[in-house]
Amino acid sequence: MTKKNTGNKQVTLALQGGGSHGAFTWGVLDRILDDGRLEIKGISATSAGAMNAVVFAHGFEAGGAEGAKKELEAFWKAISAKGAFSPYHSSPFNPFSADWSPWAMGLDMLSQAFSPYQMNPFNINPLRDLLARTIDFDELRESGKIRLFISATNINTNHLHIFSNEHITLDVLMASACLPYMQQAVEIQGEHYWDGGFMGNPAIEPLVRQCDASDTIIVQLNPTRRDDVPRFALDIADRLNEITFNSNLMREMRSYLEITKMIEAGTIHDPRIERAYFHVIPIDPELAHLGARSKLATNWTLLRRLFTLGRKQAGLWLDKNFDDIGKRSTLDLDEWSPTENET
């Protein structure tokens, strides 16, 4: 899409899911707001990314950049308070890390034997109560400053469902973050949904086709590449989760790679098809080394550390790549292609 010349550079954001690692994305958003040179036209998001997106848009609608910053900080502080007694983070009662906590291991084993319908028959979810108090969904549906696209997986049809502003409800947000081993499926108008990451983490197409910006910045929480081979059961499960949650995004990026190559080669001359540029703010190496169970840890020390890492990575990315926005992609599309061809 072609940008309008408004002084600031117009971009869209694609926010990945990743549980409490979404505090890294909080830091990225905070740094972008402080920088002030980017105008965010749309956000596509899944799971924890969807939480950040909705809180961000809600705060921005009412109070601009400062409103968004304040609401994001308040949200993550409330998340930490809700999880004060979680078995997934260290405390005086749990001296182990999330990955090796015996309490967390016990819960994981129970989740393999018993479904959330058995372990939580009344479907109690503190996050739902928190979001209901935090977000005015009626106001959100009427807002138009930032276009939102929230992904959820329809388990009845095996399709990705993308909800835009006018259709976003509390149920939609819960559906986007519904992990089937931990929460009951969310019903919306007779259909049932799980986490959107299974089908799109997140979806890129609505940003390219429905937003007035040529550049999309992906905020990464799930690494595409790891140089080590996982050998422990937990590490194998963690890498399998990363591959699953990245596969559809990488496949979608391949289609844009092919279009970009055809435009550059002069094969496509249709004026309706315009070049899109893609960028990625990568996860910090420190975040990449955290295990899967840490995505359920909500202690404030961890969340603030992730926030700080997010601010740092966003600052480094802006310093290096800001001038390229609107001119070229800084993401290596070949690296993000989900297939490898022999040469």
Side-chain angles (χ1 to χ4, degrees):
M1 302 295 291
T2 302
K3 304 192 318 314
K4 296 177 181 177
N5 185 10
T6 60
N8 288 346
K9 293 191 175 185
Q10 297 179 348
V11 300
T12 60
L13 301 178
L15 308 183
Q16 287 197 316
S20 63
H21 290 187
F24 174 86
T25 304
W26 164 34
V28 169
L29 295 172
D30 192 83
R31 181 65 178 82
I32 287 174
L33 289 168
D34 278 349
D35 183 86
R37 292 179 292 170
L38 298 181
E39 180 183 354
I40 299 170
K41 303 297 291 184
I43 305 176
S44 179
T46 297
S47 195
M51 307 290 172
N52 275 317
V54 168
V55 173
F56 177 94
H58 185 262
F60 193 88
E61 186 74 22
E66 284 305 312
K69 285 167 60 72
K70 289 178 180 178
E71 285 210 19
L72 282 167
E73 182 175 13
F75 172 75
W76 282 101
K77 282 183 175 179
I79 287 289
S80 180
K82 283 287 184 183
F85 299 101
S86 169
Y88 289 95
H89 62 71
S90 299
S91 72
F93 305 102
N94 176 23
F96 304 95
S97 69
D99 290 332
W100 300 108
S101 162
W103 292 272
M105 291 180 186
L107 280 178
D108 285 353
M109 287 189 288
L110 281 174
S111 71
Q112 297 298 315
F114 301 98
S115 80
Y117 296 87
Q118 296 166 307
M119 293 183 63
N120 185 12
F122 297 106
N123 203 20
I124 298 170
N125 192 329
L127 178 59
R128 183 184 183 90
D129 299 333
L130 169 60
L131 288 168
R133 293 195 306 270
T134 302
I135 304 297
D136 183 335
F137 285 91
D138 290 332
E139 180 181 279
L140 183 72
R141 285 189 292 273
E142 296 174 358
S143 65
K145 290 182 180 178
I146 299 174
R147 292 290 292 162
L148 295 176
F149 306 96
I150 304 302
S151 297
T153 300
N154 187 318
I155 62 178
N156 300 112
T157 65
N158 194 41
H159 289 163
L160 176 68
H161 193 112
I162 301 173
F163 298 88
S164 54
N165 294 57
E166 57 270 23
H167 302 296
I168 295 174
T169 64
L170 176 58
D171 282 336
V172 166
L173 206 52
M174 296 308 299
S176 184
C178 178
L179 296 173
Y181 288 111
M182 302 184 68
Q183 294 110 21
Q184 296 182 23
V186 179
E187 182 178 357
I188 302 173
Q189 296 183 346
E191 300 288 334
H192 293 80
Y193 296 89
W194 284 340
D195 193 298
F198 294 115
M199 298 295 291
N201 192 25
I204 300 298
E205 184 271 341
L207 298 176
V208 174
R209 297 192 181 276
Q210 299 184 46
C211 293
D212 186 22
S214 61
D215 293 72
T216 293
I217 303 173
I218 300 168
V219 181
Q220 188 181 30
L221 291 183
N222 299 284
T224 52
R225 178 179 177 84
R226 287 192 182 274
D227 294 324
D228 57 322
V229 176
R231 300 185 184 278
F232 293 98
L234 186 61
D235 296 331
I236 292 171
D238 191 12
R239 186 54 180 159
L240 181 60
N241 180 70
E242 291 171 348
I243 291 172
T244 300
F245 274 31
N246 272 328
S247 60
N248 285 288
L249 173 61
M250 294 178 72
R251 190 171 295 109
E252 191 175 7
M253 293 305 301
R254 178 178 174 79
S255 67
Y256 291 114
L257 167 64
E258 296 301 325
I259 293 172
T260 297
K261 287 181 176 178
M262 287 189 286
I263 291 174
E264 291 175 348
T267 307
I268 295 179
H269 301 285
D270 190 333
R272 294 171 299 176
I273 301 176
E274 300 179 12
R275 183 176 302 184
Y277 303 109
F278 298 97
H279 316 272
V280 61
I281 296 178
I283 62 173
D284 188 276
E286 183 176 330
L287 173 58
H289 289 138
L290 294 177
R293 289 196 184 113
S294 67
K295 293 179 179 179
L296 298 172
T298 59
N299 55 302
W300 187 239
T301 300
L302 172 66
L303 297 184
R304 282 295 302 183
R305 180 57 183 162
L306 295 175
F307 167 81
T308 301
L309 293 175
R311 280 190 55 91
K312 182 191 78 172
Q313 284 294 87
L316 291 172
W317 187 89
L318 285 165
D319 290 344
K320 181 179 179 181
N321 299 294
F322 179 81
D323 290 340
D324 292 314
I325 297 174
K327 299 177 181 178
R328 69 180 188 92
S329 292
T330 59
L331 176 150
D332 184 348
L333 290 172
D334 287 315
E335 179 182 335
W336 276 64
S337 174
T339 58
E340 295 178 354
N341 299 316
E342 292 185 4
T343 56

